[in-house]
Amino acid sequence: MKRALFSFHALLLAAALSALLLPCARADSALEELQGLQPLPDSELEGIAGGDGIGIAAHIALNDPTLNNPVTDSRIAIGHTVNGATNYIVIKNLRGNVDISGMLLQVQKKPDGSSYLELTLPEHIRLGNVGFESLSVQSDPAAPVTGNLGRVSIDGTINLQGQLRVWAH
């Protein structure tokens, strides 16, 4: 039994070493290939068909209450002055998690042969406990919230399709 256990550990060690050394060997051969590359002029570069482009994904966490020592009194205040009096719209404890995936930034060709930059809308947006604790209007944005115009909490998903196209004239 001990012999089989030793062989198993030796096999794991050999696999780990080969996993560490194989990328180094590949990097050396890739470096040799890169040294032989030549820059292409724009006329030749336009004729080359590439792959996908740049994929964009994000995870955004605002005032996550599940973290250690969460923020309990964060505020966003927007001030407005009317007839010399300043009042503030105060949003207290903006929070939530937003996951965005499926956005692409890529170059496309128009029918006339010219190029444009395409930014696709995110295919999938997941909202988790996104919202705020209170919305109030007050003359001092740092004062305790005395009036509350409501709270918002959103959980769900949004699926989109489409793109934003940008080109020069």
Side-chain angles (χ1 to χ4, degrees):
M1 187 70 151
K2 285 189 176 190
R3 185 174 188 173
L5 185 60
F6 174 74
S7 298
F8 179 72
H9 288 299
L11 181 63
L12 283 177
L13 180 61
L17 284 175
S18 65
L20 289 173
L21 297 177
L22 188 59
C24 295
R26 287 184 183 157
D28 287 342
S29 64
L31 183 59
E32 290 173 10
E33 290 177 18
L34 284 175
Q35 290 172 347
L37 294 178
Q38 299 294 323
L40 291 176
D42 287 342
S43 58
E44 288 183 43
L45 196 55
E46 284 181 356
I48 294 176
D52 289 333
I54 300 171
I56 301 168
H59 171 77
I60 302 166
L62 299 170
N63 295 331
D64 190 348
T66 62
L67 297 176
N68 291 336
N69 300 322
V71 176
T72 57
D73 190 14
S74 64
R75 296 171 184 221
I76 295 176
I78 304 167
H80 299 279
T81 302
V82 178
N83 296 329
T86 302
N87 285 314
Y88 297 88
I89 298 171
V90 179
I91 300 171
K92 184 177 177 188
N93 292 335
L94 183 65
R95 61 165 168 23
N97 294 307
V98 180
D99 292 309
I100 299 171
S101 62
M103 288 180 68
L104 285 176
L105 180 62
Q106 56 194 358
V107 176
Q108 297 287 356
K109 289 248 184 221
K110 294 194 313 189
D112 66 2
S114 62
S115 299
Y116 65 91
L117 188 63
E118 176 184 70
L119 176 64
T120 64
L121 296 175
E123 289 179 2
H124 183 76
I125 301 173
R126 189 188 72 72
L127 305 171
N129 197 26
V130 174
F132 51 85
E133 187 178 301
S134 68
L135 177 70
S136 62
V137 177
Q138 49 197 65
S139 59
D140 180 4
V145 175
T146 56
N148 185 350
L149 300 175
R151 63 181 281 161
V152 171
S153 185
I154 302 171
D155 287 296
T157 59
I158 301 169
N159 296 310
L160 303 170
Q161 64 185 44
Q163 62 273 138
L164 172 67
R165 297 178 178 183
V166 182
W167 60 93
H169 285 282

